[in-house]
């Protein structure tokens, strides 16, 4: 309200029509039956659509200059690497594989296919994905982002076993690539700030949904 952000009846109608279209609700009867099956009412659905539209508008209203400033302050958090991994169950096996790669010229990817116990990455030659710092634990993050491309890292013990890692490429973040992520994060930070500042009360209800008349008739959050 302070910033003049609100939804018109027309916008709510469009959102409702899109919701019905996505669910294949072509008639009034089908829509009312969906309400019943989903334990919803017209008012509850309208409130949900209103809330979602407002969230989108608030998120999209974050000024670009503030987003670019956020990126400048947090750029390191958005840098990423193409990371490969081999996971085995003992330090001895990990050391042996490290020796084969570093001293004997064995292929990291072939050994991942043959030995890695991580089913999600083994068949892809150990490829764990393009990962940012926040997607790694502290020790792995420090080792990975300090390593040279192609260098074998580890063994490092994790909760799942012993890992060798290798970086195939380092990607310095640029604003355009992470703009949506910055907007999302700044919006979440705004929500956290508003929740921390808000004074929220809830009426205690009796079994019939009426406010109780006990000494404490509110729960404060």
């Amino acid at each position: 309200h302070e910033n003049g952000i609100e939804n018109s009846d027309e916008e709510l109608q469009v959102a409702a029509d899109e919701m019905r279209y996505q669910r294949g609700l072509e008639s009034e009867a089908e829509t009312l039956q969906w309400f019943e099956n989903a334990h919803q009412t017209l008012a509850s659905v309208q409130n949900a659509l209103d809330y979602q539209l407002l969230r989108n508008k608030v998120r999209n209203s974050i000024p670009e200059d503030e987003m670019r400033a956020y990126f400048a302050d947090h750029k390191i958090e958005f840098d990423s690497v193409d990371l490969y991994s081999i996971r085995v169950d003992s330090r001895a096996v990990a050391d042996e594989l490290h020796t084969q790669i570093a001293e004997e010229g064995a292929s990291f990817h072939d050994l991942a296919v043959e030995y890695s116990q991580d089913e999600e990455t083994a068949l892809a030659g150990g490829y764990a994905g393009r990962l940012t710092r926040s997607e790694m634990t502290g020790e792995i993050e420090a080792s990975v982002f300090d390593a040279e491309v192609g260098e074998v890292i580890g063994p490092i013990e994790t909760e799942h076993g012993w890992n060798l890692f290798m970086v195939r490429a380092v990607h310095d973040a640029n604003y355009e690539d992470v703009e949506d992520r910055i907007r999302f994060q700044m919006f979440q930070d705004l929500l956290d700030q508003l929740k921390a500042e808000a004074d929220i009360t809830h009426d205690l209800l009796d079994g019939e949904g009426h406010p109780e008349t006990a000494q404490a008739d509110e729960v404060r959050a």
Side-chain angles (χ1 to χ4, degrees), residues 5-9 11-12 49-54 57:
I5 299 175
E6 59 184 15
N7 298 320
S8 67
D9 291 344
E11 289 172 320
L12 286 171
L49 293 174
D50 190 31
Y51 177 67
Q52 186 60 51
L53 289 176
L54 288 173
K57 287 184 177 182

Side-chain angles (χ1 to χ4, degrees), residues 37-89:
N37 294 341
H39 306 288
Q40 299 293 326
T41 65
L42 179 59
S44 69
V45 171
Q46 177 174 310
N47 287 339
L49 293 174
D50 190 31
Y51 177 67
Q52 186 60 51
L53 289 176
L54 288 173
R55 284 176 62 95
N56 292 340
K57 287 184 177 182
V58 171
R59 183 167 54 240
N60 292 333
S61 71
I62 299 173
E64 183 174 358
D65 59 342
E66 293 184 15
M67 293 176 57
R68 288 188 177 276
Y70 184 96
F71 174 71
D73 291 339
H74 299 81
K75 179 183 178 301
I76 192 173
E77 299 173 16
F78 297 101
D79 292 340
S80 61
V81 296
D82 288 334
L83 188 66
Y84 288 77
S85 170
I86 298 174
R87 188 176 75 208
V88 292
D89 59 5

Side-chain angles (χ1 to χ4, degrees), residues 140-199:
I140 295 175
E141 173 204 339
S143 299
V144 164
F145 279 91
D146 284 343
E148 299 291 333
V149 172
E151 177 184 351
V152 182
I153 305 160
I156 297 176
E157 187 176 15
T158 70
E159 60 180 325
H160 301 293
W162 288 88
N163 283 69
L164 299 177
F165 297 101
M166 184 172 64
V167 174
R168 274 301 183 195
V170 178
H171 305 279
D172 290 331
N174 62 73
Y175 175 79
E176 287 71 20
D177 289 340
V178 298
E179 181 178 357
D180 289 342
R181 291 168 57 193
I182 293 172
R183 186 180 296 280
F184 176 81
Q185 185 59 55
M186 292 185 70
F187 178 66
Q188 290 302 122
D189 291 346
L190 174 62
L191 289 184
D192 291 341
Q193 174 189 338
L194 294 174
K195 289 177 182 177
E197 296 173 352
D199 185 19

